[in-house]
């Protein structure tokens, strides 16, 4: 208006009212024409304003309309008519972050039958800016409804139509300063929903295990600290268990990494698409023909023909899932089979074998997403070359792949005994594994040096109500509390460091903020009854971690160090900075003890890229680009190619949130995961363990032959491979010494610049020049060397040697010298530190349920589900067997302890 009036002062000299009238008539597209601009400048100005208005006004009107609609939704209702005619679920949270929202939506809508569901979010806070931006996307705006309200108010639950909802998900806020308070809020929400809508299925996430019994009525409960500590514990004995579980509970098509030029990324990405599915045996193409056969027989032949891995079963009249019940279990037509595969059977390209000619059955191929050949590639290995009656008791250290015959090794491939359809009682290992006779055969020296005698039983006390009773190794007598301080002597012993104890096995160190109740779930899997006594690792709790405490607790000869994310640092002003302290501390440990196996838990999965960080590592930069490309393709597992995650060195408990979401479609997933992690024990159900491939085992050649060997000899069912490959050292890790001759020939005037140029090419790429102290030391050594005539020959030779040592020291050598000096100051032995600091760069990754023709390589670690040893007890001892297996346990036991 002002522009028109100003520009028309040389023409008609319009007043303010006429200018207002002209603008309204023009922009409303009426255009009477009684008032028009006359000068060229005012005409050009009107054209420009119209163009701007055509762009700006629609956007502003759209924003106003969306804001009005969102205000209506936040304070409005979810239609009762829609609730009765369409299906919806309710998500209750304290505050909604973009990461949590996207994890839920991506996992929930990954299942085809949930595409028509609506998601109603009930949150007491206003919508976050990032959340609002995402919910404006048409794909989500038509499915997701945000209601601002509290689950504690019946009016808000009525607005969300909770009584008509298919399910209610209640999530805890793990970024709160007080996690116990966050659990209390979750408990009240669960009570309120149960009171308002008692028939609505509840899916609850809780943080602290001691709060779990308050929500025992919920249909599905995931306790964060239980799963976290159990996965950390199994990572120490079965490498990368956290990665294995994470990949199994994520929905994926296995398309990640297929565009990569590297073969390991293609194999790793394809196998990551494997998930757990279920089907009734009589309705299955995979398993119907094995009715009346043993479980082990069905598992092996289903993998041989179809590439699927049968891991568990459940009777129709029993709610307990049995993982690998062993060769004594006979399959029934009504059994529910649980198997691992790229896709569920209903979506596979297999046809019913009854519709095919019998001659072509053995030539069938799998044309599903995984493209796995399932022709009979192992038809030649079914000859009976092993007398099963000579099978001895399973060794204490696990299964072995011993050669069946020596003479057949050079003539042809060693043959393997077939898997029997029905277990022969004479071939089943009926030795009493609970007695551990092989383990008790110790030498007199060992008996004198070790005063600890173990018994097997249930822990007499539970740290919280609701923990599952676990059969494990126990001491006969309780150790005094004063003896639990490793760094302080008491009246019973005088040891003040881990070395003095003379432990037979390597340590497992847990660095945590406090010794909370969740640590119970870390200790119990490592002391489970099926673990041989000789393999029990001492566990050291490090509740504060300065360098001196680390050295005293035996970090230089530890097998694993577990770093638990501290609760006090989980809340930060900037969300992703919550892991800053943990990441930097772990990086310090990595630089000081490069060969130490460090397993870290982080709050945010995005921060995994900072683990073992090297700024100029070309390979890590290439993986970062691959991650971005996979995310652009819509992958929910873009982080899987980060080397620390693939190797099982880092994980985030938030990645297991999908376990709760997936339970809406697969109600058995939480039970199976708890059995795999050892959180629950069911009589007759197997357990997860691992076996390392040595040079003597390479005769097995392929994964299919390995499958048959394990099924026919020990009844174990393999589910995957953890593979480690050697990798060339990057420039940042090389230890190239500085050329002394170049230093000698360099003039003092150009000394500093040449010094920097040499060092940049010779030592760690993380630093561009020497530290000031080292530079001063070199100059001092050089000046002394030029005053050689004033000293004797021996002194001059000594100074020359010192100067050479100063020149040639790398950053790693400096760190090693720092640690050794500190150990000597504390009176600790430095034996073994050099071997521990000898870091070799490796590449490790997981292959879940690989194809039968996958080659077995040296140092592969095979994941096994081993049958329950209690199931092999002789039938002649029913009383003892029943007293051990039949754990009645839950309510009466909890009430007694309470």
């Amino acid at each position: 208006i002002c522009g028109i009036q100003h520009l028309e002062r040389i023409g008609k000299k319009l007043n303010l009212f006429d200018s207002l009238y002209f603008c309204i008539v023009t922009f409303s597209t009426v255009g009477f024409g009684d008032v028009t601009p006359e000068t060229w400048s005012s005409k050009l100005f009107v054209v420009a304003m119209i163009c701007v208005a055509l762009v700006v006004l629609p956007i502003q009107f759209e924003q106003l309309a969306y804001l009005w609609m969102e205000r209506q939704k936040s304070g409005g209702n979810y239609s009762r008519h829609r609730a009765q005619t369409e299906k919806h679920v309710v998500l209750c949270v304290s505050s909604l972050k973009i990461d949590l929202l996207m994890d839920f939506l991506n996992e929930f809508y990954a299942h085809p039958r949930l595409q028509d569901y609506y998601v109603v979010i009930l949150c007491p806070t206003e919508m976050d800016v990032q959340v609002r931006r995402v919910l404006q996307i048409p794909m989500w705006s038509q499915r997701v409804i945000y209601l601002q309200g509290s689950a504690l108010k019946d009016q808000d639950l009525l607005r969300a139509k909770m009584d008509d909802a298919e399910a209610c998900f209640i999530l805890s806020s793990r970024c709160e300063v007080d996690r116990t308070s966050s659990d209390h809020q979750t408990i009240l929400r669960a009570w309120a929903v149960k009171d308002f809508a008692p028939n609505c299925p509840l899916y609850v996430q809780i943080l602290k295990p001691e709060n779990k019994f308050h929500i025992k009525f919920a249909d599905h409960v995931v306790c964060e600290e239980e799963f976290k500590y159990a996965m950390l514990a199994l990572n120490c004995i079965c490498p990368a268990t956290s990665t294995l579980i994470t990949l199994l509970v994520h929905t994926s098509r296995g398309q990640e990494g297929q565009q990569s030029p590297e073969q390991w990324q293609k194999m790793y990405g394809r196998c990551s698409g494997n998930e757990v599915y279920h089907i009734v045996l009589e309705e299955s193409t995979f398993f119907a023909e094995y009715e009346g056969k043993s479980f082990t027989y069905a598992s092996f032949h289903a993998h041989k023909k179809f590439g699927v891995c049968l891991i568990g079963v459940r009777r129709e009249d029993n709610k307990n899932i049995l993982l690998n019940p062993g060769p004594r279990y006979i399959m029934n037509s009504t059994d529910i089979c649980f198997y691992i595969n790229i896709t569920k059977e209903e979506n596979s390209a297999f046809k019913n074998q009854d519709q095919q000619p019998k001659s072509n059955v053995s030539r069938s191929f799998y044309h599903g997403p995984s493209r796995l050949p399932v022709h009979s590639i192992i038809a030649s290995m079914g000859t009976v070359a092993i007398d099963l009656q000579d099978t001895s008791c399973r060794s204490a250290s696990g299964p072995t792949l011993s050669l069946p015959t020596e003479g057949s090794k050079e003539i042809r491939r060693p043959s393997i005994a077939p898997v029997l359809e029905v277990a022969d009682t004479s071939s089943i290992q009926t030795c009493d594994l609970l007695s551990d006779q092989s383990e008790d055969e110790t030498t007199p020296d060992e008996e004198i040096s070790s005063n600890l005698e173990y018994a097997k039983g249930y822990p007499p006390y539970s740290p919280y109500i609701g923990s599952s009773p676990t059969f494990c190794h126990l001491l006969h007598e309780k150790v005094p509390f004063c003896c639990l301080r490793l760094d302080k002597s008491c009246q019973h012993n005088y040891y003040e460091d881990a070395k003095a104890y003379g432990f037979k096995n390597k340590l497992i160190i847990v660095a945590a903020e406090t010794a909370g109740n969740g640590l119970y779930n870390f200790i119990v899997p490592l002391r489970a009854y099926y673990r041989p006594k000789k393999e029990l690792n001492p566990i050291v709790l490090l509740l504060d971690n300065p360098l001196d405490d680390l050295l005293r607790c035996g970090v230089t000869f530890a097998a694993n160090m577990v770093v638990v994310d501290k609760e006090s640092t989980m809340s930060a002003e900037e969300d992703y900075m919550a892991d800053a302290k943990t990441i930097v501390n772990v990086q310090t440990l990595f630089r000081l003890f490069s060969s130490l196996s460090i397993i870290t838990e982080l709050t945010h999965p995005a921060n995994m890229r900072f683990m073992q960080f090297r700024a100029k590592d070309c390979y890590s930069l290439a993986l970062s680009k691959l991650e971005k490309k996979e995310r652009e393709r819509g992958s929910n597992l873009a982080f899987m190619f980060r080397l620390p995650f693939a190797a099982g060195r880092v994980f985030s408990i938030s990645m297991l949130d999908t376990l709760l979401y997936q339970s809406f479609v697969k109600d058995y997933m939480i039970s199976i995961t708890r059995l795999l992690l050892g959180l629950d024990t069911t009589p007759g159900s197997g357990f997860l363990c691992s076996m390392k491939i040595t040079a003597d085992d390479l005769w097995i050649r392929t994964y299919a032959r390995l499958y048959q060997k394990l099924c026919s000899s020990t009844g174990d069912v393999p589910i995957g491979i953890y593979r480690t490959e050697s990798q060339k050292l990057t420039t940042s890790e090389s230890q190239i010494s500085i050329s002394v001759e170049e230093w000698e020939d360099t003039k003092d005037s150009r000394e500093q610049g040449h010094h920097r140029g040499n060092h940049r090419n010779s030592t760690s790429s993380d630093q561009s020049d020497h530290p000031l102290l080292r530079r001063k030391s070199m100059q001092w050594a050089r000046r002394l060397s030029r005053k050689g005539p004033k000293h004797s020959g021996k002194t001059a030779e000594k100074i020359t040697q010192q100067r050479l040592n100063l020149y040639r020291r790398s950053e790693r050598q400096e760190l090693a010298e720092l640690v050794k000096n500190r150990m000597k100051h504390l009176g600790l032995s430095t034996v073994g530190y050099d071997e521990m600091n000898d870091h070799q760069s490796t590449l490790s990754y997981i292959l879940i349920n690989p194809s039968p023709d996958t080659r077995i390589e040296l140092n592969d670690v095979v994941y096994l589900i081993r049958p329950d040893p209690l199931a092999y007890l002789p039938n002649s001892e029913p009383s003892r067997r029943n007293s051990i297996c039949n754990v009645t346990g839950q309510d009466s036991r909890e009430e007694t302890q309470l």
Side-chain angles (χ1 to χ4, degrees):
I1 294 171
C2 294
I4 290 295
Q5 184 188 21
H6 175 73
L7 294 174
E8 283 295 318
R9 286 190 301 171
I10 58 175
K12 294 183 177 179
K13 295 183 179 180
L14 295 177
N15 56 32
L16 187 62
F17 178 78
D18 290 336
S19 300
L20 172 63
Y21 172 76
F22 168 75
C23 289
I24 293 177
V25 170
T26 302
F27 282 98
S28 64
T29 68
V30 176
F32 291 119
D34 51 345
V35 179
T36 56
E38 293 185 354
T39 63
W40 69 270
S41 56
S42 58
K43 292 179 180 179
L44 183 62
F45 178 74
V46 171
V47 170
M49 291 303 298
I50 291 175
C51 293
V52 170
L54 289 176
V55 176
V56 174
L57 290 182
I59 296 177
Q60 295 298 323
F61 284 134
E62 181 186 10
Q63 293 290 336
L64 286 172
Y66 179 79
L67 183 61
W68 181 80
M69 291 174 61
E70 287 301 319
R71 292 283 184 180
Q72 289 294 108
K73 287 181 181 179
S74 297
N77 299 329
Y78 183 68
S79 170
R80 175 67 68 180
H81 175 71
R82 290 178 61 180
Q84 293 176 347
T85 57
E86 299 169 348
K87 296 180 179 180
H88 77 285
V89 298
V90 181
L91 176 64
C92 295
V93 289
S94 298
S95 60
L96 189 62
K97 300 294 184 181
I98 185 62
D99 292 337
L100 184 146
L101 175 64
M102 295 312 301
D103 286 344
F104 179 84
L105 295 179
N106 288 330
E107 181 62 35
F108 187 81
Y109 285 111
H111 302 278
R113 73 180 183 89
L114 302 183
Q115 300 305 310
D116 296 333
Y117 279 65
Y118 286 86
V119 174
V120 178
I121 301 173
L122 187 61
C123 181
T125 61
E126 289 192 7
M127 194 185 307
D128 184 67
V129 176
Q130 291 180 316
V131 173
R132 177 178 287 111
R133 189 178 299 119
V134 168
L135 294 185
Q136 288 179 355
I137 300 174
M139 180 174 62
W140 304 125
S141 62
Q142 302 300 322
R143 297 175 171 181
V144 182
I145 299 172
Y146 189 96
L147 299 181
Q148 184 176 349
S150 173
L152 300 183
K153 295 181 179 180
D154 286 354
Q155 297 91 335
D156 293 334
L157 293 177
L158 185 62
R159 289 168 52 209
K161 303 302 180 289
M162 185 69 74
D163 50 340
D164 288 329
E166 300 296 317
C168 176
F169 295 87
I170 303 178
L171 307 183
S172 297
S173 177
R174 62 169 55 90
C175 294
E176 294 288 339
V177 177
D178 188 355
R179 290 162 66 85
T180 302
S181 175
S182 179
D183 273 352
H184 293 168
Q185 297 176 24
T186 301
I187 292 169
L188 286 184
R189 289 192 180 96
W191 290 354
V193 173
K194 193 65 177 178
D195 177 71
F196 181 84
N199 296 324
C200 179
L202 274 179
Y203 296 75
V204 183
Q205 177 198 67
I206 206 80
L207 303 180
K208 294 282 191 179
E210 56 266 28
N211 296 322
K212 193 175 68 169
F213 80 101
H214 289 295
I215 51 172
K216 191 177 179 180
F217 56 84
D219 299 83
H220 299 277
V221 178
V222 171
C223 179
E224 178 177 300
E225 286 196 4
E226 279 189 337
F227 283 90
K228 174 177 72 176
Y229 281 110
M231 284 199 299
L232 289 172
L234 282 185
N235 267 9
C236 299
I237 53 178
C238 297
T241 301
S242 58
T243 304
L244 172 71
I245 298 297
T246 300
L247 296 180
L248 280 178
V249 301
H250 270 79
T251 301
S252 170
R253 296 179 299 167
Q255 299 298 322
E256 286 82 4
Q258 300 309 300
Q259 308 298 325
S260 173
E262 297 203 31
Q263 183 63 26
W264 78 267
Q265 293 174 356
K266 292 182 179 179
M267 294 174 59
Y268 173 53
R270 184 178 68 248
C271 291
S272 70
N274 281 279
E275 297 178 45
V276 180
Y277 299 100
H278 73 291
I279 193 169
V280 179
L281 185 137
E282 61 184 357
E283 301 173 359
S284 171
T285 302
F286 292 161
F287 311 113
E289 61 181 298
Y290 306 120
E291 181 183 354
K293 308 293 194 305
S294 70
F295 176 90
T296 309
Y297 180 88
S299 180
F300 164 68
H301 284 278
H303 185 270
K304 173 183 173 181
K305 292 183 180 181
F306 303 106
V308 301
C309 180
L310 178 65
I311 62 169
V313 70
R314 183 174 65 193
R315 293 287 191 201
E316 183 184 22
D317 56 348
N318 195 340
K319 65 178 182 180
N320 290 331
I321 298 175
L322 302 179
L323 295 182
N324 186 13
R328 278 182 172 170
Y329 185 94
I330 304 302
M331 307 291 288
N332 287 342
S333 60
T334 57
D335 286 352
I336 299 177
C337 302
F338 301 94
Y339 61 96
I340 297 176
N341 195 26
I342 292 287
T343 182
K344 61 180 180 179
E345 181 180 327
E346 294 86 342
N347 298 336
S348 66
F350 286 112
K351 296 180 180 179
N352 195 321
Q353 295 184 3
D354 296 337
Q355 300 174 2
Q356 299 179 355
K358 293 183 179 180
S359 59
N360 295 331
V361 171
S362 61
R363 299 180 181 179
S364 61
F365 287 83
Y366 176 50
H367 300 291
S370 64
R371 303 285 190 259
L372 296 178
V374 293
H375 52 284
S376 183
I377 63 171
I378 51 179
S380 62
M381 65 184 187
T383 57
V384 183
I386 306 176
D387 186 0
L388 291 180
Q389 305 210 6
D390 294 336
T391 304
S392 60
C393 178
R394 186 181 302 151
S395 64
S397 59
T400 58
L401 300 178
S402 57
L403 280 170
T405 54
E406 295 293 337
S408 63
K409 185 162 68 171
E410 298 181 359
I411 301 174
R412 59 185 178 86
R413 289 185 300 173
S415 55
I416 306 172
V419 183
L420 300 181
E421 294 185 8
V422 180
D424 185 3
T425 55
S426 62
S427 67
I428 296 177
Q429 302 154 346
T430 58
C431 58
D432 191 351
L433 296 179
L434 292 180
S435 62
D436 282 340
Q437 297 173 359
S438 60
E439 298 174 8
D440 294 336
E441 297 174 357
T442 57
T443 62
D445 295 337
E446 290 177 344
E447 291 179 356
I448 295 173
S449 61
S450 178
N451 295 324
L452 299 179
E453 292 294 335
Y454 295 103
K456 292 184 178 179
Y458 294 99
Y461 303 105
S462 176
Y464 58 89
I465 298 175
S467 62
S468 177
T470 303
F471 202 56
C472 58
H473 293 282
L474 303 173
L475 292 176
H476 285 293
E477 296 182 2
K478 183 178 179 181
V479 177
F481 184 75
C482 59
C483 295
L484 297 180
R485 284 295 300 266
L486 181 141
D487 58 338
K488 287 187 178 182
S489 61
C490 65
Q491 60 180 351
H492 304 95
N493 66 67
Y494 302 96
Y495 305 140
E496 294 186 354
D497 63 83
K499 189 73 174 179
Y501 282 81
F503 294 120
K504 299 297 182 183
N505 295 334
K506 290 189 174 182
L507 305 176
I508 294 176
I509 302 174
V510 185
E513 189 171 26
T514 58
N517 292 329
L519 275 171
Y520 174 81
N521 299 290
F522 183 91
I523 298 172
V524 167
L526 297 178
R527 295 291 182 267
Y529 73 96
Y530 45 76
R531 296 205 65 214
K533 294 177 184 177
K534 292 182 179 180
E535 296 181 4
L536 300 182
N537 300 87
I539 302 172
V540 178
L541 304 184
L542 184 64
L543 303 182
D544 199 359
N545 56 347
L547 180 59
D548 290 359
D549 290 343
L550 274 171
L551 296 174
R552 283 197 183 96
C553 74
V555 69
T556 55
F557 53 90
N560 295 277
M561 181 165 183
V562 178
V563 181
V564 182
D565 203 2
K566 296 185 177 182
E567 295 180 11
S568 61
T569 62
M570 288 183 178
S571 178
E573 293 182 2
E574 187 178 348
D575 286 343
Y576 289 91
M577 283 297 176
D579 294 318
K581 186 176 181 180
T582 301
I583 291 172
V584 175
N585 287 341
V586 171
Q587 183 74 356
T588 303
L589 290 173
F590 173 67
R591 303 297 288 273
L592 291 176
F593 312 99
S594 55
S595 294
L596 177 63
S597 175
I598 307 173
I599 304 168
T600 313
E601 181 228 350
L602 298 178
T603 302
H604 299 286
N607 289 332
M608 290 191 301
R609 64 186 187 274
F610 301 123
M611 303 305 298
Q612 301 181 7
F613 184 75
R614 301 182 185 96
K616 297 183 180 179
D617 189 342
C618 298
Y619 197 74
S620 295
L621 294 176
L623 291 176
S624 177
K625 294 179 181 178
L626 175 63
E627 180 180 355
K628 295 180 177 66
K629 291 180 180 178
E630 293 297 336
R631 188 175 288 110
E632 291 173 357
R633 295 190 184 103
S635 171
N636 300 330
L637 293 170
F639 54 79
M640 62 177 287
F641 293 101
R642 291 289 182 176
L643 295 184
F645 173 77
R649 303 301 182 201
V650 62
F651 82 101
S652 173
I653 193 63
S654 62
M655 294 187 295
L656 272 190
D657 289 349
T658 55
L659 177 62
L660 188 66
Y661 312 151
Q662 202 175 80
S663 298
F664 183 67
V665 176
K666 304 175 183 178
D667 58 354
Y668 49 83
M669 277 307 299
I670 294 178
S671 299
I672 288 181
T673 306
R674 291 181 67 89
L675 289 172
L676 285 173
L677 295 178
L679 288 170
D680 288 338
T681 54
T682 301
S685 178
F687 58 92
L688 181 66
C689 63
S690 63
M691 176 190 67
K692 190 171 184 178
I693 300 296
T694 62
D696 296 334
D697 301 328
L698 293 179
W699 67 273
I700 203 71
R701 297 193 180 185
T702 64
Y703 187 73
R705 289 169 58 83
L706 172 72
Y707 210 118
Q708 182 175 6
K709 171 64 177 175
L710 293 172
C711 287
S712 62
S713 59
T714 61
D716 297 342
V717 173
I719 62 173
I721 296 174
Y722 177 75
R723 179 158 293 174
T724 301
E725 299 177 359
S726 298
Q727 211 180 21
K728 293 182 179 179
L729 285 174
T730 58
T731 307
S732 61
E733 288 298 315
S734 59
Q735 296 187 19
I736 308 171
S737 61
I738 301 174
S739 174
V740 179
E741 289 74 11
E742 291 179 356
W743 280 93
E744 289 289 342
D745 297 337
T746 303
K747 295 182 180 180
D748 291 340
S749 59
R750 301 176 59 188
E751 179 179 331
Q752 187 174 359
H754 191 68
H755 156 72
R756 289 181 179 175
N758 279 315
H759 180 72
R760 188 176 296 113
N761 296 324
S762 59
T763 57
S764 172
S765 63
D766 293 341
Q767 296 181 352
S768 59
D769 51 14
H770 283 285
L772 180 61
L773 180 60
R774 192 194 300 177
R775 190 180 306 128
K776 295 285 186 183
S777 301
M778 290 180 175
Q779 295 172 0
W780 169 79
R782 202 159 35 249
R783 285 198 299 269
L784 286 180
S785 65
R786 290 170 182 168
K787 299 178 181 180
K790 295 182 181 181
H791 300 275
S792 62
K794 292 184 178 180
T795 306
E797 184 179 353
K798 183 178 180 180
I799 294 175
T800 302
Q801 187 62 35
Q802 289 178 349
R803 183 182 55 169
L804 291 174
N805 293 338
L806 285 171
Y807 286 159
R808 291 174 176 170
R809 283 199 313 175
S810 67
E811 182 187 75
R812 184 179 300 164
Q813 289 169 334
E814 282 192 50
L815 293 173
E817 186 176 345
L818 181 148
V819 175
K820 284 183 177 181
N821 290 336
R822 194 61 194 163
M823 293 177 71
K824 291 176 182 178
H825 176 74
L826 297 172
L828 304 176
S829 173
T830 60
V831 177
Y833 175 74
D834 291 330
E835 290 79 4
M836 180 185 181
N837 206 35
D838 184 17
H839 175 68
Q840 294 182 352
S841 182
T842 57
L843 168 67
S844 302
Y845 54 93
I846 284 179
L847 301 177
I848 303 176
N849 187 30
S851 58
D853 57 348
T854 301
R855 298 287 297 182
I856 299 298
E857 298 181 1
L858 185 64
N859 294 328
D860 280 355
V861 177
V862 182
Y863 296 106
L864 309 171
I865 300 181
R866 186 171 299 166
D868 182 9
L870 299 176
Y872 287 91
L873 290 177
N875 292 326
S876 59
E877 300 183 12
S879 60
R880 180 185 177 190
R881 190 173 173 188
N882 292 337
S883 65
I884 295 174
C885 294
N886 296 335
V887 182
T888 60
Q890 303 299 330
D891 294 338
S892 60
R893 190 181 184 91
E894 290 168 4
E895 291 171 2
T896 302
Q897 292 179 0
L898 179 60

